[in-house]
Amino acid sequence: MDSQFGPAGGQEQEPAFAGALHSLLVTVHHMCHHHGVDRSAAALCDGLPDGLALTPATALQALRSAGLVASLVECGFDSLSMLPLPVILLRLDRRACMLMAIDDADTAAPAYVVMLPEMERGTVTLNAPVLLADYAGFAILARPQAACADAVASGAGAAKAHWLSLILWAGVVIGILCWCQVRLARMGRPALESRGAQ
């Protein structure tokens, strides 16, 4: 028997929106699909205490069970542009949406491209006042484990290169100072020898 969250046989199907109760689930499912995780909404909720009605805590569990590194962060609306996109935004009344992109071509009035679970398909573009009025102040970040590992390795490599560069430059500076000191000593020696001769 098929349900609104996909056939029982396991064939992947877009979960249907069923009000605020399933808003976060639909958004989590979209996030998994965006990162290439082919898992039904029912499978994402398997074993969770609240079933299909995800809370922020169980949404994190669902994302992690799908192989993603996920975290809940408190983020002011003005700081959304600093988050790695896409990101799940928690909305009022237990609803959620996925922020896909921010178009800041007009810095005075940036546009926010979001996926709303209550929409059939695709994304919509909202202005700041509309999204701000519905934003609850928290976001869920999710990334594949491999991407996070690469980022850590890249950061470690960059830090190592930075310190190596500092060490090399320090060596260059010390070498220059030593050369200058030797030159000054050689320049001052004839004067001292002439004084001694007098």
Side-chain angles (χ1 to χ4, degrees):
M1 178 179 177
D2 292 357
S3 72
Q4 62 176 338
F5 292 98
Q11 182 180 354
E12 182 60 21
Q13 178 176 316
E14 183 73 13
F17 178 73
L21 185 66
H22 299 133
S23 178
L24 188 51
L25 171 59
V26 176
T27 312
V28 165
H29 185 268
H30 271 274
M31 179 65 81
C32 290
H33 181 73
H34 174 82
H35 289 300
V37 178
D38 186 18
R39 186 173 296 191
S40 69
L44 286 172
C45 298
D46 187 33
L48 297 181
D50 298 315
L52 299 175
L54 295 184
T55 65
T58 54
L60 292 178
Q61 294 181 48
L63 289 165
R64 290 166 183 165
S65 71
L68 303 179
V69 178
S71 60
L72 177 68
V73 297
E74 184 173 7
C75 182
F77 187 80
D78 293 336
S79 300
L80 290 179
S81 59
M82 301 175 63
L83 299 179
L85 302 180
V87 63
I88 296 174
L89 302 183
L90 299 187
R91 300 154 66 196
L92 303 179
D93 300 325
R94 296 187 63 182
R95 293 171 298 132
C97 68
M98 190 157 74
L99 177 60
M100 305 298 299
I102 300 176
D103 182 359
D104 55 0
D106 182 356
T107 56
Y112 299 83
V113 181
V114 301
M115 185 287 297
L116 296 173
E118 54 264 38
M119 301 284 292
E120 288 275 336
R121 291 269 181 180
T123 60
V124 297
T125 301
L126 304 177
N127 59 32
V130 171
L131 186 58
L132 175 60
D134 205 27
Y135 178 50
F138 290 86
I140 294 177
L141 311 179
R143 284 290 180 276
Q145 292 183 3
C148 292
D150 290 344
V152 171
S154 175
K160 183 177 180 180
H162 173 70
W163 282 109
L164 180 59
S165 177
L166 287 178
I167 292 171
L168 290 176
W169 274 111
V172 171
V173 171
I174 292 173
I176 292 174
L177 290 175
C178 290
W179 180 83
C180 290
Q181 187 175 10
V182 170
R183 291 290 297 172
L184 290 173
R186 288 180 178 177
M187 291 173 62
R189 185 175 299 171
L192 290 175
E193 290 176 351
S194 61
R195 287 183 182 178
Q198 292 176 1

